[in-house]
Every structure is written in C-alpha cells, then in structure tokens.
Amino acid sequence: MEISQARCDAVLLAAEAKAAEIGVPMNIAILDSGANLKAFLRMDGALIGSIDIALKKAKTSAVFGMNTEAVGEYCKPGGSSPGLEQTNGGLVVFAGGIPLRDGQGTLIGAVGVSGGAVAQDFEVAQAAAAAQDAPQEGGLQWEVVAAGQPQPA
Amino acid sequence: MEISQARCDAVLLAAEAKAAEIGVPMNIAILDSGANLKAFLRMDGALIGSIDIALKKAKTSAVFGMNTEAVGEYCKPGGSSPGLEQTNGGLVVFAGGIPLRDGQGTLIGAVGVSGGAVAQDFEVAQAAAAAQDAPQEGGLQWEVVAAGQPQPA
Amino acid sequence: MEISQARCDAVLLAAEAKAAEIGVPMNIAILDSGANLKAFLRMDGALIGSIDIALKKAKTSAVFGMNTEAVGEYCKPGGSSPGLEQTNGGLVVFAGGIPLRDGQGTLIGAVGVSGGAVAQDFEVAQAAAAAQDAPQEGGLQWEVVAAGQPQPA
Amino acid sequence: MEISQARCDAVLLAAEAKAAEIGVPMNIAILDSGANLKAFLRMDGALIGSIDIALKKAKTSAVFGMNTEAVGEYCKPGGSSPGLEQTNGGLVVFAGGIPLRDGQGTLIGAVGVSGGAVAQDFEVAQAAAAAQDAPQEGGLQWEVVAAGQPQPA
C-alpha cells in the first residue's frame, strides 16, 4: 500500500507540534514502503547536517520494517551483523526512525526525525508515528480552504 | 537569507493547487540558497522517477540563480558550455525549476517540479514561485488550528 | 548570512601565521553556512592526504554548528549516535574544525584545518576562528596594493 | 615540481583583479600537477554552481596539460574521443581551465575559473595564468607585514 499525502500531512503536523512543544526544530522525512521519498520538512532553525540523518533514519526503518535503534542491535559491538550500517548506501542505527503501518499492520513507509538529542528525535518520531491514523480530512480540507482549489484526485 | 518554512508552505500550497487544477500529481522540491533541502512533497500518484528530477531541478535553479531551461541554453547543442549538465552531481536543464527571491531580489532558494509534461511542470513551478510572497500566516495558522499546539518559533 | 571574502582573508592569514609559528604546514578550508566551499589553501609542504580532512572538518562544523571534536562526542564508543560519522558523505570528528559566527552569533560557516598532529590542527583552527572579527580592510587593502587593481565589488 | 603558495598568491591576485576589472565575481581553483587541490577562492557574489565547474576545469587542464577547450576538441561531435568528458570523474571541456608551467615549461598544475560567460571565464583564467611568473615576494611579504608573523619555512 502506498502512503497517502493526507497521512503524511497528519504525521508531519504531529511531528512539528511535538518539536515545537519541546522547542527543538527538526528535520522530518517520510518515505514510502519502497523507500522512496514522499515528504520532507526542515523546520526553521533545524541543522542542515540533520537532513541526511533524517532521510537515512526513514530509509533504515522503511527497508527493515523496524525502528532504527532496533536495527542498531544487529550491528552494535558483539552483535550478529557487524558492518550492517554500511549497507544500503549507509544506514542510521540510532533512535529517530519508526515504521509506518496501515490499519492492518502492513508496512507503508517510515518517518525519520533528526535535529535534537537522540531522545528528543525519538520523542518527536513517536508523536509523528502515533498520528498516522488521526482523522485525515483536516489535511485535505486545509488544502481546499487555504488554496481555494479542487482537491487532488 | 534563509527561506522560511512559512514561505515554503505558501509555495507548496500553490504548487499543489495548480497541479490539482490541471489534474497532474507532481513532485515538488524546495531547496535553500545553499542548495540544502528545505521541503519536499510527492503528491499521491506522482511518479517516483520524478523525485530525483524535482530535486535536481531545484538544485540547478538554486546554484545558478536562474530557471532550469535557461541553464539549458548553455549546454544545448551549439551552446557555450557543452557538458555543463554533468557538473554539480548532475543538473536537470529543462523547464520546471525556478529560483525563489526575497522582496529585495536576493536569491533565497529554488523550487523544482516534476511529474507531468515539461510544460505542465513549468506551469506548476510558475504558480509555486508566484506564491512565495503571498501572506504566509495561513500556513502557520493552519498548523496551530489543526494541531492545537503552539506554533513553531 | 554569507561569509565574506574579506573575513576569509583574515581567517586564512591567522591560520597561516599560526601554522608558520609552530612550523607545521597546513591545509585550511573555509565553507559557508550552506557548506559550500568559499576558500581553501594548502600551504607548501602540507600533506595532500590532509586536503580531504580539512574540507570534511569544515563541513562537519558547518552543518552541525559545533566543533568537530564536539560532534565526535556523539559517535564515540558508548555515545548516543553510533555511525554518525558515516552521514553527510563522511564526517571528520576529531579536533580541527570550528564554526564561524558573525557579531550576532549567527552561524556563517566554518574553518577546517589539517596537516599536523590533532592538537596542532586545533591550535591553528582556534587562531583562525579567533581572527574572523579582526579588522578586515587589511586583506582587501593588500589586494589593492599588491595587485594595483581596483578592489573587487 | 610542486606549485608554490607564492605562485598561487600571484595567480589568485591576478584572477581577482581581472574579475574585478570586468565586474564579474568568479570561482578560482588551482590544482598542482598531481591534480590535488592547492588553493581556491569564491569571490563574494560568485555562483555556488560554479564552484564545481572551476574545480573540474582546473582538474581537466591539470590531468591533460592543455586548456579545457582543447580537451573539448577531442570529445565534440565528430571528434576522436566521444564520451571523454565522462572520464576522470567528470571533466569540463569548455574554456576557463589553463595549465600552469614553470620557467622550463614543466607542468606544475592548472587554474580553473568559472562564474561568468565562458569568454569572461577564459579572460580571467588567461590573466591568472599570465601572472604565474610575476615576482612572488609580494605574496609572502604581505604575510609578514599583515600578519606580523615569521614567514612560513
């Protein structure tokens, strides 16, 4: 299943709101289940060095269907898969990337967050992932109202 | 000057509205004047092969401060700069990338659009660039209302 | 804010002077806040293997707005962000890269120094960063005098 | 033979002076005969898209020991070496790169200039290359005076 723009709007909104709440501007990336970029936002003041980290966190979670820190368990010292983080063009294996799933639990993509301390990135990513099932008319309705245009098919 | 998230909201909104009006889902990328990713949106149904094109169109316009098709004039057959499109990690030199400037005319970034015919990409990019100076409270207000959270600093 | 050539002249001068004082030829790189190359100098006798290190030190400091060794704290054994040094095309996370800020404290770029022992690189980088606010007419005046040409606009 | 910093100072000075004279801010890159970066300057206002072009022009001239446009003769339509510009990590084969040679005619490096029209880049590169044999005490003396430090060994 393809992750929808409406779902991405809800995820980005929740991520922004949590980032604003804790006062840390973040980079927020959303990839679909094919690990292809769907949406990205660099909040004002967020570090540009965290752009790539957010993208790679989302990629890491999308291609393995698990949280980035869970992937990290496989390649930490003594883990079963040393160097795993070097695959797939470079993974990011600390917290901040979380898979996104539909109502049936099917993997539909992942969100990656970077810009603060790892614990802050994780907190924002959790808020983002939790919002993926929020009513999504808000996003589309906003497009209609604010843009004054018919909504995308 | 750094391009603001509020300005990106206005640009993305206008791009989406125009894309919806012509019925062609688009990939829309916004980079700042340092060619660093600021915002990205792949509308539902947009081709994934156009993700990289939208990003490279925005990059091409940002690093040269001109429309992508204008850069193309330099490297077309008989142009002054054969192979120019091979520089900077690969440029895209057909229409769909347009620079973004502040009120003083200072380059602050660029928008790149891809997903339809080149003429359609250009039409959407023009609508996007034209909206960069639209009142931008709309975008942030929407965040406040829809998210019920303080607005990002 | 864009880092100016005059500021770069002052930074390079101070770096060269300190490198000369300690007798170690250095590679000195200056990037702007968008991590784009602004100025570079390889002093006579400096190791060519240190060219890339100086560039990556400047990049690491520019994209995170902190000293390279501070970035290293995040990815050292037991740190919060294992593998961080693999992001952004490869970071350098030992001393020798220092952010450059304007009078208001806004990040405007970074300087990276490599060619000696890490402690020597750091000493030269500190001298370079400390000189960024030195009167900058010196650099331009030298251009006028030595070149006998009008100064660049 | 290694290109000296003093020679680079003279080359950069002449390039800046000519660029100022014609009123076009330029990116100026100098590589040694091993195609390793020796000096670089992005004048204020120069396009960041021209950084890579200046570097690749210098590289193209350094590795083949000829002007960039001369290399272009080999890979132009109907030329003997189609695709040559794809080698060496990407060459730039239009004017603006010129080899630097010592008094005996030995190749010691190359200068690459980009930022204006090709004819302007070439004019600045010619002025730069012509200055390589200018008396070079100026550059080092300046270091002593302006920096108040012993000159590099």
Side-chain angles (χ1 to χ4, degrees):
Chain A
M1 172 183 163
E2 183 63 47
I3 185 167
S4 70
Q5 182 182 339
R7 195 178 294 257
C8 288
D9 288 339
V11 170
L12 284 176
L13 261 176
E16 283 183 64
K18 176 59 69 175
E21 179 188 339
I22 65 175
V24 182
M26 296 288 189
N27 288 273
I28 307 148
I30 302 177
L31 272 58
D32 64 21
S33 59
N36 296 302
L37 186 60
K38 177 68 178 177
F40 179 87
L41 170 64
R42 172 161 46 109
M43 292 173 67
D44 295 341
L47 296 168
I48 63 173
S50 296
I51 297 170
D52 187 54
I53 299 173
L55 289 166
K56 285 189 165 66
K57 282 180 175 177
K59 179 180 180 180
T60 300
S61 284
V63 298
F64 289 111
M66 59 180 75
N67 283 18
T68 45
E69 70 276 14
V71 176
E73 289 299 306
Y74 293 88
C75 49
K76 69 181 182 183
S80 64
S81 312
L84 174 67
E85 71 278 10
Q86 305 289 353
T87 65
N88 294 279
L91 302 172
V92 169
V93 295
F94 45 91
I98 300 182
L100 298 175
R101 300 180 183 281
D102 65 13
Q104 289 67 47
T106 303
L107 182 68
I108 57 174
V111 60
V113 176
S114 183
V118 172
Q120 294 171 317
D121 295 347
F122 182 58
E123 181 179 6
V124 171
Q126 281 183 307
Q132 68 173 299
D133 298 320
Q136 295 164 8
E137 288 66 27
L140 290 181
Q141 184 177 4
W142 149 69
E143 291 176 17
V144 177
V145 173
Q149 296 289 353
Q151 89 180 41
Chain B
M1 172 184 166
E2 184 62 49
I3 185 166
S4 69
Q5 181 182 341
R7 194 178 295 256
C8 290
D9 288 338
V11 170
L12 284 176
L13 262 174
E16 285 182 62
K18 176 58 69 176
E21 180 188 339
I22 64 175
V24 182
M26 296 287 188
N27 288 273
I28 306 148
I30 302 176
L31 304 190
D32 63 24
S33 60
N36 294 301
L37 185 60
K38 179 67 178 178
F40 179 87
L41 170 64
R42 171 161 48 107
M43 292 172 68
D44 295 340
L47 297 166
I48 62 174
S50 297
I51 297 170
D52 187 51
I53 299 173
L55 288 166
K56 284 191 165 66
K57 282 180 176 178
K59 180 180 180 180
T60 300
S61 284
V63 299
F64 289 110
M66 60 181 73
N67 283 19
T68 45
E69 71 276 15
V71 176
E73 288 300 305
Y74 294 89
C75 48
K76 68 183 181 184
S80 64
S81 311
L84 175 65
E85 71 276 10
Q86 305 289 352
T87 66
N88 291 280
L91 302 172
V92 170
V93 295
F94 45 91
I98 299 180
L100 299 174
R101 300 181 183 280
D102 66 13
Q104 289 68 46
T106 303
L107 182 68
I108 56 174
V111 59
V113 176
S114 183
V118 172
Q120 293 171 318
D121 295 349
F122 182 56
E123 182 179 7
V124 171
Q126 280 182 307
Q132 67 173 302
D133 298 319
Q136 295 164 6
E137 289 65 26
L140 290 180
Q141 184 178 3
W142 151 71
E143 292 177 15
V144 176
V145 173
Q149 296 288 353
Q151 93 180 38
Chain C
M1 173 182 165
E2 184 62 47
I3 186 167
S4 69
Q5 182 182 341
R7 195 178 294 257
C8 289
D9 288 339
V11 170
L12 284 177
L13 262 175
E16 284 182 63
K18 176 58 69 174
E21 180 188 339
I22 66 175
V24 182
M26 296 288 189
N27 288 272
I28 306 147
I30 302 177
L31 271 59
D32 64 22
S33 60
N36 295 301
L37 186 60
K38 178 68 179 177
F40 179 86
L41 170 63
R42 171 160 49 106
M43 292 173 67
D44 295 341
L47 297 166
I48 62 174
S50 296
I51 297 170
D52 186 52
I53 298 173
L55 289 165
K56 284 190 165 65
K57 282 180 177 178
K59 179 180 181 180
T60 300
S61 284
V63 299
F64 289 110
M66 60 180 73
N67 283 18
T68 45
E69 71 275 16
V71 176
E73 289 299 305
Y74 293 88
C75 48
K76 70 183 181 185
S80 64
S81 311
L84 174 65
E85 71 278 9
Q86 305 289 352
T87 65
N88 291 281
L91 302 172
V92 170
V93 295
F94 47 89
I98 299 181
L100 300 174
R101 299 181 183 281
D102 65 14
Q104 288 68 45
T106 303
L107 182 68
I108 56 174
V111 59
V113 176
S114 183
V118 172
Q120 294 171 317
D121 295 348
F122 181 57
E123 183 179 6
V124 172
Q126 281 183 307
Q132 66 172 301
D133 299 319
Q136 295 164 5
E137 290 65 26
L140 290 181
Q141 183 177 5
W142 151 69
E143 290 176 17
V144 177
V145 173
Q149 295 288 354
Q151 94 180 37
Chain D
M1 172 185 164
E2 183 63 48
I3 185 167
S4 70
Q5 182 183 338
R7 194 178 296 256
C8 289
D9 288 339
V11 170
L12 284 176
L13 263 174
E16 284 183 64
K18 176 58 70 175
E21 180 188 337
I22 66 175
V24 182
M26 296 287 188
N27 288 272
I28 307 147
I30 302 176
L31 305 191
D32 63 22
S33 59
N36 296 302
L37 185 60
K38 178 67 178 179
F40 179 87
L41 170 64
R42 172 160 47 108
M43 292 173 68
D44 295 340
L47 296 169
I48 62 175
S50 297
I51 297 170
D52 186 53
I53 298 173
L55 289 166
K56 285 189 165 66
K57 282 179 176 178
K59 180 180 180 179
T60 300
S61 283
V63 298
F64 288 110
M66 59 180 75
N67 283 18
T68 45
E69 70 275 16
V71 176
E73 288 300 306
Y74 294 88
C75 49
K76 69 182 181 183
S80 64
S81 312
L84 175 66
E85 71 276 10
Q86 305 290 351
T87 66
N88 293 279
L91 303 172
V92 169
V93 295
F94 44 92
I98 300 181
L100 299 174
R101 300 181 183 281
D102 66 13
Q104 288 68 47
T106 304
L107 181 69
I108 57 173
V111 59
V113 176
S114 183
V118 172
Q120 293 171 319
D121 295 349
F122 182 58
E123 181 180 6
V124 172
Q126 280 181 309
Q132 68 174 298
D133 297 320
Q136 295 164 6
E137 289 65 28
L140 290 180
Q141 183 178 3
W142 149 69
E143 291 179 15
V144 177
V145 174
Q149 296 289 352
Q151 91 180 40

